Amino acid sequence: KKINIKPEKIFFYDHHECHIFSAYSLSPYKKTLVVSNDGFGDGLCSKSNYITIKKNINLSKNTFYNSLGLIYGYCSDICGFKKVHHNGKTTGIAMLGDGKRVEKELSKIIHFNEKNGNYVNNGSVFRGTYFEIKKKLKKFSKYQIANGIQSLTNKLIFKQVDFLLKKTKIKNICLVGGVHANVAANGYLRNKHKSKNIYVFPHMGDGGLALGACALAY
């Protein structure tokens, strides 16, 4: 009231729709698959849409319980780095260890469901999963843990995008959400899909949501 903003001028949009439209609005594509992956937002950790100038079709959505982003964050915390803020340090040291056994342990907790195209968390919820991972990985070094979660993340994101590409038969992909701050996983995906056009929205984290909201309002 003080600055004369009328209630009818205020709009509320879904977290992942804002991610998705931040990427779509600045991408060079008129028709594209947009994949949003993050820790969680508005009850979801992931949402994927097929978008054209006239259509916005949801292809998949996944509850925060199954969050790959959270599990990566838990592994970062176990490595001694702040989850969310310092996940990039985990990515940075991932090549310094052999994480095959770590990856095997982590794949028992989170995997990709080939039927519905979603990640599945077989562990507990939130800190329950954290303590379960910590117990499983207590004998491994931070370099092994970093390598294991990075390798698994690369493969899970590839499986997700590959599943959606087969569903849409499209060549354009937009990636957004905090998980796609992981440049190693994005690079892995690009190398696996050299024939595809891939655009990563520069402010893929939650700071980019405002632009997505503006795009949706527009």
Side-chain angles (χ1 to χ4, degrees):
K1 285 181 180 179
K2 280 183 183 177
I3 56 175
N4 199 31
I5 295 177
K6 294 180 172 58
E8 61 269 21
K9 294 288 185 182
I10 300 171
F11 302 92
F12 294 90
Y13 297 106
D14 172 75
H15 182 96
H16 283 275
E17 286 293 305
C18 289
H19 271 318
I20 285 166
F21 273 83
S22 68
Y24 179 66
S25 65
L26 289 191
S27 79
Y29 318 131
K30 290 182 178 178
K31 182 166 64 174
T32 186
L33 164 67
V34 187
V35 180
S36 172
N37 281 306
D38 65 10
F40 59 91
D42 283 343
L44 300 178
C45 68
S46 181
K47 193 173 189 180
S48 303
N49 289 13
Y50 169 71
I51 305 181
T52 70
I53 293 296
K54 294 182 178 180
K55 294 178 183 176
N56 177 29
I57 301 167
N58 177 248
L59 301 173
S60 70
K61 52 187 174 182
N62 202 346
T63 64
F64 69 84
Y65 181 85
N66 302 297
S67 176
L68 172 61
L70 279 180
I71 287 175
Y72 197 101
Y74 294 152
C75 289
S76 287
D77 196 72
I78 293 164
C79 286
F81 307 129
K82 274 187 179 179
K83 61 180 182 288
V84 182
H85 299 293
H86 293 173
N87 285 347
K89 292 180 180 179
T90 308
T91 310
I93 65 167
M95 291 303 103
L96 299 175
D98 180 350
K100 289 187 181 71
R101 287 184 296 155
V102 170
E103 185 179 347
K104 189 176 179 181
E105 290 296 333
L106 290 172
S107 63
K108 293 173 188 174
I109 291 175
I110 188 165
H111 72 278
F112 184 76
N113 185 321
E114 302 280 357
K115 291 182 179 178
N116 65 15
N118 279 329
Y119 307 126
V120 179
N121 174 16
N122 295 316
S124 307
V125 68
F126 289 135
R127 291 191 68 77
T129 303
Y130 171 78
F131 290 122
E132 193 175 336
I133 292 170
K134 197 171 185 178
K135 187 177 177 181
K136 280 179 180 288
L137 304 185
K138 64 182 177 183
K139 63 183 178 183
F140 299 104
S141 73
K142 65 181 178 181
Y143 303 108
Q144 289 174 300
I145 294 168
N147 183 270
I149 186 57
Q150 184 61 49
S151 178
L152 182 61
T153 297
N154 293 349
K155 290 169 187 174
L156 289 176
I157 289 173
F158 169 74
K159 284 180 180 180
Q160 180 195 31
V161 173
D162 198 53
F163 174 90
L164 292 163
L165 286 172
K166 285 172 182 171
K167 203 170 182 179
T168 56
K169 311 287 189 211
I170 197 168
K171 282 197 166 185
N172 302 326
I173 312 161
C174 293
L175 303 174
V176 70
V179 168
H180 293 292
N182 192 313
V183 293
N186 295 342
Y188 181 90
L189 189 64
R190 185 177 291 283
N191 288 333
K192 288 281 188 180
H193 282 300
K194 288 181 179 175
S195 63
K196 308 297 183 186
N197 304 311
I198 300 178
Y199 172 80
V200 183
F201 178 61
H203 203 337
M204 67 289 287
D206 287 356
L209 291 172
L211 192 143
C214 289
L216 282 164
Y218 180 78

